[in-house]
Amino acid sequence: MIKQTLMFASPVSLSLRDRQIVITFKDDKKTVIRPIEDIGFVVIENPMVNITVPLLNELADNNVSVIFCDKKQMPKTMLMTLEGNTTLQESYQYQMDASVPTKKNIWKQLVEGKIRNQALLLNKVGKQGDMLKPYYMNVKSGDTDNREGAAARVYWSQIFDEGFKRDRDGLPPNNMLNYGYAILRAAVARALIGTGLYPAFGVFHRNRYNAFPLADDVMEPYRPFVDEVVYHLYYDEAVKELDNPSKGKLLRLLFSDVKIGKVTRPLENALSITTASLLKYLKGETDKLSLPMII
């Protein structure tokens, strides 16, 4: 089932009633009610939003990702449950027992999937995606010679322009990329927890200040789906600054079609397929991850 995404850009009060979220608009006191079971993500952008603790607990119990934005209206903090699956201890043990070669092979497949999707996207927008074929065809275990980084230099100069530099604090469209990646990261973390995997146990990414390194690993082959939305916003619609319409389009990324294996699924569902295949890989039940492809 595809879950709804709620974004609150104006002052509202959010509370719980009969396992439903009650939205009360502060200007006209109008009230709207939504079943929590239909919700996957709540994005709180306005600092004047009030939310109750019982509602937060109920959202967590239903594996709803609650994303809080900073003063620049960029996703900053994420609230998620730590009890998203009934076999947590078993799944965590598989993660902790994973050998170095296993982790390296997982990272190899994720990097291959990312670069392949970058190539597919370049071809889709009329650029020279074939330039990336030697990169994704020659990724070593653990990507020890950094094919990912080498491919990125080619990719970014192609997808936008020769002078573009991917930098979190850089010029547009970096702002839109940042927003899209933050939403994608939250969606990946939610899928991991729903599968029973612990986002803090990374395969490649590791940082003492990063609570979700595994989400950063798994999201890599999905990043080009964000890039595609940003490309069309930046070039087709001449959007330079984030506004509510552009944020809405980036949020709707979660419902975009993704080819995964022999089927086409909404990206949100594809994430669950990928994380489930990751758990199977850790258990030794498969030697191949189920990764997305740009259509």
Side-chain angles (χ1 to χ4, degrees):
M1 177 182 176
I2 300 177
K3 299 288 187 176
Q4 298 176 6
T5 298
L6 303 181
M7 182 176 74
F8 298 101
S10 58
V12 296
S13 292
L14 306 176
S15 58
L16 177 68
R17 183 195 304 163
D18 299 328
R19 301 192 66 186
Q20 298 183 100
I21 182 171
V22 180
I23 308 164
T24 304
F25 295 88
K26 294 184 177 181
D27 51 358
D28 57 8
K29 302 301 180 182
K30 178 183 176 182
T31 297
V32 176
I33 298 176
R34 292 284 186 272
I36 289 178
E37 63 184 15
D38 295 339
I39 301 170
F41 303 89
V42 173
V43 181
I44 298 178
E45 185 177 280
N46 193 292
M48 299 304 292
V49 170
N50 293 327
I51 186 168
T52 65
V53 171
L55 174 58
L56 289 174
N57 283 325
E58 188 68 22
L59 291 171
D61 287 344
N62 284 270
N63 195 24
V64 177
S65 295
V66 182
I67 303 166
F68 298 93
C69 297
D70 60 18
K71 61 183 179 182
K72 296 181 180 179
Q73 299 180 332
M74 294 295 294
K76 181 72 173 181
T77 307
M78 181 165 50
L79 172 69
M80 302 190 69
T81 181
L82 293 178
E83 299 179 351
N85 188 283
T86 56
T87 57
L88 287 177
Q89 188 60 43
E90 178 185 353
S91 299
Y92 291 177
Q93 197 63 49
Y94 282 115
Q95 288 184 262
M96 291 186 288
D97 292 344
S99 66
V100 172
T102 294
K103 292 180 179 179
K104 285 186 174 182
N105 279 321
I106 290 172
W107 182 240
K108 175 181 184 292
Q109 292 187 49
L110 292 171
V111 170
E112 287 174 343
K114 176 183 182 179
I115 302 174
R116 184 177 288 105
N117 276 336
Q118 288 175 331
L120 288 171
L121 177 56
L122 287 177
N123 286 332
K124 188 173 181 178
V125 299
K127 304 295 181 69
Q128 301 178 45
D130 290 344
M131 294 176 63
L132 293 181
K133 187 174 182 179
Y135 295 92
Y136 67 74
M137 292 293 293
N138 294 284
V139 180
K140 296 180 180 179
S141 179
D143 190 25
T144 52
D145 56 355
N146 195 21
R147 292 291 86 190
E148 180 197 20
R153 288 190 288 273
V154 176
Y155 172 71
W156 289 121
S157 65
Q158 283 282 313
I159 192 69
F160 291 113
D161 56 55
E162 193 68 36
F164 175 77
K165 182 180 180 182
R166 173 64 189 130
D167 185 340
R168 286 187 58 85
D169 300 317
L171 297 173
N174 278 292
N175 52 349
M176 290 180 277
L177 291 169
N178 293 342
Y179 191 91
Y181 292 154
I183 296 300
L184 175 62
R185 185 173 186 254
V188 174
R190 178 179 180 272
L192 288 168
I193 289 175
T195 300
L197 293 168
Y198 192 37
F201 299 155
V203 172
F204 175 79
H205 289 90
R206 51 182 68 88
N207 186 312
R208 63 185 298 185
Y209 304 110
N210 181 1
F212 301 106
L214 186 59
D216 292 330
D217 293 330
V218 175
M219 71 182 282
E220 292 296 348
Y222 283 90
R223 284 179 180 266
F225 292 91
V226 174
D227 303 342
E228 181 176 6
V229 176
V230 172
Y231 177 89
H232 291 298
L233 283 171
Y234 190 69
Y235 285 112
D236 298 347
E237 301 181 32
V239 175
K240 298 295 187 293
E241 300 300 327
L242 274 167
D243 53 18
N244 285 339
S246 58
K247 289 177 184 176
K249 290 186 178 181
L250 286 165
L251 287 169
R252 286 195 293 275
L253 162 78
L254 300 175
F255 313 127
S256 60
D257 286 339
V258 170
K259 184 179 180 182
I260 187 157
K262 297 181 179 180
V263 300
T264 299
R265 292 287 186 270
L267 187 143
E268 182 184 346
N269 293 353
L271 287 173
S272 296
I273 296 173
T274 295
T275 56
S277 73
L278 174 58
L279 180 56
K280 288 182 179 179
Y281 191 98
L282 292 170
K283 289 181 176 181
E285 297 175 358
T286 184
D287 60 359
K288 186 176 181 180
L289 300 179
S290 297
L291 300 178
M293 289 184 65
I294 292 228
I295 298 175

